[in-house]
Amino acid sequence: MMIRRAASQRRWNTGGRFQVKYEKDPNIPVPMMHCVALRVKDLDRSMRFWQDVFGLEVLHYVKVVSLNFSIAYLGPRVRLRYEPVRGKSIVNLRKDTSRDAAPQPGTMDAHDYLFHNHTTVLKLIELHHLRYDHKYKISSGNESPHLGFGGVGFLVDNVDSVCRDLHLNKVEILAEPTQNDASLLIQDLNGYAVRVTQREGGLYGPQNQKLPITFHTCRLRIRDPVHSLFFYQKLFDMHLLCVSKHPTLPITRYYLCTRSQLSIDQPSLAPYPPPESPEAAILLNSLKISFLELQHHHGTETQEDFSYHSGNTPPVGFAHVSFMVEDVDETIKTMLDAGVYIIKNKGEGAFPQSAYIMDPDGYWVEIYVRCMRDFVITEGTSAERDTARG
């Protein structure tokens, strides 16, 4: 049976001594690209792949038996702590770099940990009925005639070290780093493309400051950059940080990030360099925030019947990109005024506080309020059920 608990009914998991205070954290930038969702055949194997190969951690886990799917959220661990406020029976979320206090995945505390995370995370979705269907192949988005999603990218401090680790883990490397391209390309267990790029130092980089692996890009192929850029820049307040033209192929890539995240990561750099400048390319590969990478193959904008595969019709693959917003209802109103197609309004999906809209190329975009309070636990372990009950 699915259990949904109102925020006022939830209890802090410390023997009932504290009541959790669920408030919007003013320090979390919105709109914010919060996660990139990919469907996988075997969630357990996929989680182990990302943990063993890239050192990502499972931040949260949700199993929705009634709807036949499970979700895992993975990413570099952001250090947070739950801090009781003196003189009051509440618990507040505070940043803490002194110690690691991430809660157990699948619990109420893990939910709050995830939705107070300032970084973009990877969301893996397993459809239970496909796990043992050996004939069904997840669509990576990179095979014709189902081209669409291009893959994900990560920034690391030392790409050569990652390359050696991949060889040790017997992961096939499709493209190794070169003098002209300090990045490598692999595929995960489901065939999704994963590019790992050397983090830039010097002008904008960490300057000898060791940083964890950073979720860098989510690549989507687009038909017409005019429409797609308008959609993400105007409706999600995204900034076009960099434009990269392929040296030999008729391909242009547009890298966008939300202005709110950019202002937090590099507030002193505004005004930012022109998108097509070398400085913009250096800045792109040095920031800790994540980017939406829109890849345009020249000429598709003139083909009226041309379209890309969204990943949400068979064969399924890429699911959606998710944004935190200040107010879902107001955002939906803005989308309707702009003529955007609403796939699922708030209250119509598995998570009642989420809504789904469609971008100009048919990709799904999930939107939910920052620090989302909704939580679902279904037929989990006794510990999970006890956490839900308080």
Side-chain angles (χ1 to χ4, degrees):
M1 183 179 67
M2 185 160 54
I3 302 172
R4 288 195 179 96
R5 302 294 301 273
S8 59
Q9 294 176 301
R10 299 173 184 160
R11 302 291 296 177
W12 173 247
N13 192 26
T14 54
R17 287 180 296 168
F18 298 109
Q19 183 177 357
V20 178
K21 183 180 181 182
Y22 289 84
E23 288 188 344
K24 294 179 180 178
D25 186 346
N27 296 315
I28 294 183
V30 288
M32 168 191 166
M33 192 169 75
H34 188 232
C35 70
V36 174
L38 307 177
R39 295 181 181 88
V40 298
K41 285 273 287 190
D42 187 324
L43 186 58
D44 294 329
R45 291 187 64 221
S46 293
M47 287 192 294
R48 285 197 299 270
F49 172 86
W50 289 102
Q51 287 174 297
D52 296 343
V53 177
F54 288 101
L56 299 185
E57 299 194 42
V58 179
L59 304 178
H60 191 26
Y61 177 85
V62 177
K63 187 175 183 180
V64 187
V65 176
S66 60
L67 297 179
N68 204 32
F69 69 85
S70 298
I71 302 173
Y73 297 86
L74 296 93
R77 178 159 290 181
V78 177
R79 294 179 182 272
L80 295 172
R81 68 171 173 168
Y82 299 93
E83 177 183 279
V85 177
R86 291 184 180 179
K88 298 181 180 179
S89 58
I90 59 175
V91 174
N92 280 340
L93 285 164
R94 304 291 189 204
K95 285 186 180 180
D96 180 25
T97 57
S98 63
R99 65 185 180 92
D100 196 346
Q104 178 70 25
T107 64
M108 298 282 297
D109 301 339
H111 167 83
D112 290 322
Y113 181 91
L114 172 69
F115 288 97
H116 284 79
N117 196 332
H118 291 205
T119 59
T120 304
V121 299
L122 189 63
K123 177 181 178 181
L124 304 180
I125 305 171
E126 179 193 306
L127 304 178
H128 298 164
H129 66 283
L130 294 181
R131 182 167 188 168
Y132 301 106
D133 186 348
H134 301 296
K135 295 182 180 180
Y136 198 95
K137 183 181 179 182
I138 294 288
S139 173
S140 68
N142 288 309
E143 295 181 0
S144 185
H146 302 111
L147 293 173
F149 173 68
V152 293
F154 291 86
L155 280 185
V156 296
D157 286 338
N158 190 329
V159 71
D160 292 325
S161 175
V162 173
C163 190
R164 289 192 296 270
D165 290 342
L166 291 172
H167 281 301
L168 289 174
N169 281 283
K170 299 181 179 180
V171 176
E172 182 184 2
I173 299 178
L174 304 180
E176 298 209 15
T178 64
Q179 270 191 328
N180 299 323
D181 185 5
S183 65
L184 60 85
L185 181 68
I186 67 169
Q187 288 182 339
D188 80 341
L189 299 179
N190 298 278
Y192 294 117
V194 183
R195 182 169 293 278
V196 182
T197 304
Q198 177 83 33
R199 196 189 312 275
E200 291 281 0
L203 184 59
Y204 301 109
Q207 298 177 347
N208 299 322
Q209 178 189 357
K210 186 174 178 59
L211 297 173
I213 185 171
T214 304
F215 195 124
H216 189 218
T217 57
C218 167
R219 178 184 294 182
L220 302 176
R221 293 179 177 89
I222 59 171
R223 174 180 173 270
D224 190 335
V226 174
H227 294 160
S228 296
L229 290 174
F230 176 87
F231 178 86
Y232 287 105
Q233 286 183 284
K234 300 300 182 183
L235 300 181
F236 287 99
D237 195 29
M238 301 194 84
H239 173 72
L240 180 61
L241 184 81
C242 182
V243 176
S244 174
K245 295 182 178 180
H246 196 282
T248 58
L249 300 176
I251 296 174
T252 301
R253 297 186 177 105
Y254 303 87
Y255 296 88
L256 301 102
C257 61
T258 55
R259 294 179 187 273
S260 53
Q261 288 176 282
L262 186 60
S263 64
I264 285 181
D265 191 65
Q266 290 288 351
S268 63
L269 294 181
Y272 303 102
E276 297 190 21
S277 67
E279 291 79 12
I282 295 174
L283 183 59
L284 171 70
N285 289 334
S286 64
L287 299 181
K288 300 187 291 293
I289 59 177
S290 303
F291 293 85
L292 190 61
E293 177 184 349
L294 305 180
Q295 179 172 300
H296 175 228
H297 293 250
H298 302 175
T300 56
E301 69 277 13
T302 62
Q303 304 175 34
E304 293 185 4
D305 59 344
F306 185 89
S307 64
Y308 284 115
H309 181 57
S310 71
N312 287 296
T313 55
V316 296
F318 170 74
H320 54 264
V321 60
S322 300
F323 285 84
M324 281 186 180
V325 298
E326 185 69 38
D327 187 303
V328 174
D329 294 323
E330 284 297 320
T331 302
I332 289 295
K333 183 178 183 301
T334 301
M335 298 296 170
L336 287 172
D337 291 342
V340 174
Y341 179 71
I342 310 300
I343 301 168
K344 293 181 182 179
N345 212 329
K346 193 172 76 169
E348 296 178 355
F351 299 91
Q353 294 192 33
S354 298
Y356 291 87
I357 63 175
M358 187 177 289
D359 86 345
D361 290 280
Y363 298 115
W364 288 28
V365 179
E366 182 185 22
I367 55 176
Y368 43 74
V369 70
R370 60 177 178 174
C371 309
M372 183 171 63
R373 299 177 182 181
D374 182 66
F375 187 68
V376 176
I377 296 180
T378 72
E379 301 180 17
T381 65
S382 59
E384 291 173 339
R385 291 195 295 271
D386 289 343
T387 303
R389 295 190 186 104

